[in-house]
Amino acid sequence: HERNLNTPLLCLALVRLRRLAKHGGHGGRGGRGDGRSRQEQEASRKVQSRGTRALENVIKRRTSTMNAKHIATILHSMAALRMTHPKQRALRRTLIDRFVLLVDSANGQSIGNMLWACGKLEELPETGSDLEKILGRLLDVSPSCNSQNFSNTIWALGTMKDRRRVADHTLELLLSCYICKVHESVPQGMSNVLWSMARLEFNPENRSSGNDLFNRIVGELMSRPQHEIKAQDLANATWSIGRLQCTIDEEVLEKLMVSSVEMIGRFNQQELSLTLWGLARMQDYRLDRHLYSQVLGAVEHKCHTFN
C-alpha cells in the first residue's frame, strides 16, 4: 500500500519497522540464544529485508516532498536497519542534502535524531559549513530542546574522523547547553557526551566556559541509582577522564571507581580495557590495592577472549 500512503503515515510505518528490526535477527531479543526458533529469526530477517527495499523506494519517490521531520525519521530508520552498504550511499547523501536545505524549519528533536543517525551510518554532512549550519539551528532553538537532543548531537560529532570540522566555539556552546539540562539526562546520554568530548580531545578545563563542566557531568552520573547505570557508562567515564586528564572531585572519582569494581564482573572485554587504560592515564589517582586486584581478576578471567 506504499503508493497510497501519505508521507507522515509512511514515516509512522517506518518507525514501527525500526522497532521490529531492533528486536529482529541482529541482536536485541532476536539475537542468538534468545530462545526464538530458527523459523522466527528467518521471518524477522525477511521483514527487515522487505523493509529495506521499501525504504529505498520511499527515498527515491518521496524525498522531494519530505520535510525535516520526515527526513530525520527516515535516516533514523536507515540506521536501525543498518543501511550502511556503499551502494546505498547515494540515498543517504540525498536525504542529508535535503535536510540541510530545510534545516531552518527543523526542531531540536529532528536535528538530534538526524545527526545521531548520521553518526551510526558514518555519513555526516560533507562540508563543515553544512554541519555548522545544522548546529547553528540547534543552538537557535536550544530553549525548546531537551538533554537527549544535545547528547545525540554531541555523540554524533564524536564519530567524526576529522575533528576540525566543527569550531571549538560551537562545541563549547553545545556543551554549555547540555550542562544546563544534564539533570534530566539519562546515564547513557552522559557517558556518550563524556566519550565524545574525549574523542574530540575537547578539554573544558582549557575553555572559558569553566573547568568544572566535566566534573559536573561525572558527578551527575554518579548521583543516579546504581541500577540505572550500565557497565559501559562507567567504562566510558573512566576512559574519558584518563584521556583528557580532567580534574574530578576526589569523592566523585572514588565513587566512580568503587561502582566500577562492584560491577566489574559484568564488564566485557572492551569495557575492561577502557577502564584499565583510563586508570593508567590518571596522574593524581591510584586505585586501592584491594580494588585493583579485583579489576585484574576480572581481566584474568576473560583475557582468553581478548583480541
Side-chain angles (χ1 to χ4, degrees):
H1 300 284
E2 180 260 322
R3 293 178 183 272
N4 301 321
L5 294 174
N6 60 30
T7 303
L9 280 176
L10 274 172
C11 289
L12 181 62
L14 289 168
V15 169
R16 299 294 184 269
L17 178 64
R18 186 171 70 218
R19 291 172 184 168
L20 270 177
K22 186 177 181 180
H23 302 303
H26 295 279
R29 288 180 292 176
R32 190 172 298 175
D34 65 353
R36 287 157 56 103
S37 68
R38 183 173 298 179
Q39 290 84 355
E40 289 174 319
Q41 293 188 26
E42 181 62 26
S44 291
R45 282 191 287 270
K46 287 182 178 179
V47 169
Q48 188 165 358
S49 176
R50 289 178 179 177
T52 299
R53 291 197 300 271
L55 191 53
E56 290 175 348
N57 290 334
V58 168
I59 296 169
K60 292 173 182 176
R61 295 172 183 167
R62 305 285 188 109
T63 300
S64 62
T65 65
M66 292 180 188
N67 60 29
K69 182 179 179 180
H70 299 153
I71 294 171
T73 300
I74 298 289
L75 283 168
H76 209 283
S77 297
M78 291 181 76
L81 291 168
R82 297 172 177 82
M83 292 177 63
T84 57
H85 195 281
K87 291 182 179 179
Q88 296 163 335
R89 186 173 188 272
L91 298 177
R92 299 192 295 268
R93 291 252 49 94
T94 297
L95 289 170
I96 292 171
D97 291 345
R98 174 74 178 170
F99 189 90
V100 172
L101 186 66
L102 302 173
V103 72
D104 289 339
S105 64
N107 61 19
Q109 183 179 8
S110 294
I111 294 172
N113 287 347
M114 178 267 185
L115 288 175
W116 177 89
C118 287
K120 283 286 186 181
L121 294 167
E122 300 181 358
E123 193 79 46
L124 285 162
E126 286 189 322
T127 66
S129 59
D130 284 347
L131 188 55
E132 286 282 355
K133 185 177 180 181
I134 295 172
L135 298 177
R137 173 62 181 175
L138 180 63
L139 293 170
D140 288 342
V141 298
S142 59
S144 62
C145 296
N146 60 33
S147 64
Q148 188 177 19
N149 304 153
F150 290 110
S151 61
N152 280 351
T153 297
I154 295 170
W155 174 83
L157 297 178
T159 67
M160 293 187 305
K161 295 179 180 179
D162 184 4
R163 176 238 182 278
R164 296 168 296 178
R165 292 181 61 192
V166 177
D168 286 351
H169 178 64
T170 302
L171 285 173
E172 192 169 356
L173 289 174
L174 289 170
L175 184 57
S176 297
C177 289
Y178 175 74
I179 286 293
C180 291
K181 302 174 185 287
V182 69
H183 62 280
E184 66 184 39
S185 184
V186 297
Q188 184 179 4
M190 295 181 229
S191 71
N192 283 349
V193 169
L194 295 172
W195 174 86
S196 182
M197 290 165 60
R199 279 272 293 143
L200 294 168
E201 298 182 354
F202 186 83
N203 192 334
E205 293 184 358
N206 302 327
R207 311 292 170 181
S208 59
S209 55
N211 60 7
D212 68 334
L213 296 184
F214 210 97
N215 188 69
R216 287 176 63 185
I217 298 174
V218 179
E220 183 66 32
L221 174 64
M222 299 317 303
S223 73
R224 301 301 173 85
Q226 189 161 351
H227 69 270
E228 294 181 5
I229 303 174
K230 298 179 181 179
Q232 185 181 27
D233 303 330
L234 299 172
N236 279 351
T238 303
W239 177 79
S240 303
I241 293 169
R243 183 177 175 91
L244 294 179
Q245 298 188 352
C246 289
T247 303
I248 304 295
D249 287 347
E250 185 176 342
E251 184 178 343
V252 173
L253 188 56
E254 188 66 25
K255 190 172 182 180
L256 171 63
M257 293 301 105
V258 171
S259 296
S260 297
V261 172
E262 288 177 352
M263 294 178 62
I264 203 68
R266 303 182 215 168
F267 280 38
N268 61 27
Q269 302 93 320
Q270 183 181 20
E271 290 156 357
L272 284 170
S273 63
L274 288 176
T275 299
L276 278 172
W277 190 92
L279 281 168
R281 287 272 295 174
M282 294 181 193
Q283 295 181 344
D284 300 322
Y285 180 81
R286 289 293 178 269
L287 191 63
D288 174 85
R289 184 182 296 273
H290 175 66
L291 297 179
Y292 194 65
S293 66
Q294 293 184 58
V295 176
L296 291 181
V299 172
E300 182 179 6
H301 180 68
K302 295 184 178 178
C303 66
H304 67 282
T305 65
F306 286 16
N307 59 24

